[in-house]
Amino acid sequence: MNKTSLKLTFNAPNDKTAMANLLLAHGAGAGSDHEFMQSMAQLVASQGVNVILFDFPYMQTMQQTGKRRPPDKLDKLINSFCQQVTELDSALPLFIAGKSMGGRVATHIACLDRIATCVKGCVALGYPFHPPGKPEKLRLDHFPAIQIPLKIIQGERDTFGNQQEVATFPYAERFDIKWLVDGDHSFKPRKASGVTYQENLQCAANTLVEFIQLHV
């Protein structure tokens, strides 16, 4: 297996002792350099968490060739994420998280014994409960096997699972979800909502850090 280089992009400020490391995976269509990923990493790091971003192998190929390609199959993504966990050598508590597809992969590796022994918790930023327009194709079968605390941060009108429909899903009583006001899949609200995109991003970052503080 080829190694995927880790990119430690944001450290806790010098005036704060880092409480944990957060390994944060990107979504299907954009890599670690996407504005969402960079903004979230900065907001979380400013509160005392080291944030490590990485790109899945297919995304690295896209960046090298300039040609779009679909994500790798789930088992390859899972193996890649697991590799990132094992390559990160640190005495700090470790948490895993991901945006959309990255969050889905994170929940899958949270089911593995070898991950549960070294990872304190998992966060999904905009969990893709189902493909847009296909609520019958749920991605929840593995949820009962998750072995570590899980937090989901979701926009209220996310087309991959909005607030109204998620309440009807299997295992809904087990979900620990923070709903972001009028947010879409990227947490962006409509202007009429009275909430700004930056406010939703900040709320998401605060929620993530509070989850880490609870479980370090």
Side-chain angles (χ1 to χ4, degrees):
M1 181 185 298
N2 293 329
K3 284 196 172 185
T4 304
S5 60
L6 287 169
K7 294 183 290 186
L8 184 59
T9 57
F10 291 96
N11 288 323
N14 291 333
D15 61 346
K16 289 188 177 182
T17 301
M19 70 181 85
N21 284 332
L22 175 69
L23 188 58
L24 178 59
H26 60 78
S32 63
D33 58 350
H34 188 268
E35 179 184 0
F36 178 94
M37 299 293 293
Q38 295 287 310
S39 296
M40 188 58 58
Q42 184 175 20
L43 290 171
V44 171
S46 69
Q47 299 185 60
V49 176
N50 295 333
V51 182
I52 302 99
L53 305 181
F54 70 96
D55 290 310
F56 288 108
Y58 83 92
M59 183 58 64
Q60 293 184 56
T61 300
M62 282 177 53
Q63 293 165 346
Q64 292 164 3
T65 63
K67 297 180 180 179
R68 293 193 64 82
R69 57 178 293 164
D72 294 317
K73 292 187 179 298
L74 183 59
D75 60 347
K76 187 172 181 179
L77 295 171
I78 290 171
N79 289 337
S80 178
F81 206 141
C82 287
Q83 182 183 358
Q84 300 299 322
V85 173
T86 58
E87 288 180 0
L88 186 59
D89 183 18
S90 173
L92 289 174
L94 176 61
F95 291 78
I96 56 175
K99 175 70 179 83
S100 191
M101 180 200 74
R104 181 187 178 195
V105 179
T107 63
H108 274 277
I109 71 170
C111 299
L112 304 176
D113 290 340
R114 67 181 187 276
I115 298 299
T117 59
C118 61
V119 176
K120 297 289 188 179
C122 176
V123 179
L125 300 168
Y127 186 79
F129 287 95
H130 59 73
K134 299 179 180 179
E136 73 281 1
K137 295 187 176 182
L138 292 178
R139 297 158 171 162
L140 294 172
D141 288 348
H142 64 292
F143 268 48
I146 293 175
Q147 300 186 43
I148 57 178
L150 169 65
K151 185 77 176 185
I152 299 173
I153 303 174
Q154 197 88 353
E156 290 180 342
R157 56 187 182 89
D158 192 329
T159 55
F160 289 77
N162 63 48
Q163 188 172 16
Q164 289 71 36
E165 62 183 356
V166 168
T168 70
F169 290 164
Y171 320 119
E173 71 281 358
R174 303 183 186 182
F175 297 159
D176 181 9
I177 303 182
K178 172 64 176 180
W179 292 102
L180 300 177
V181 176
D182 200 54
D184 63 9
H185 191 53
S186 296
F187 303 161
K188 292 181 180 178
R190 292 166 293 193
K191 289 183 178 179
S193 69
V195 177
T196 67
Y197 178 45
Q198 190 60 39
E199 286 173 333
N200 268 355
L201 283 181
Q202 187 67 63
C203 181
N206 293 349
T207 300
L208 200 162
V209 172
E210 288 165 4
F211 174 80
I212 289 175
Q213 291 172 330
L214 183 63
H215 296 287
V216 288

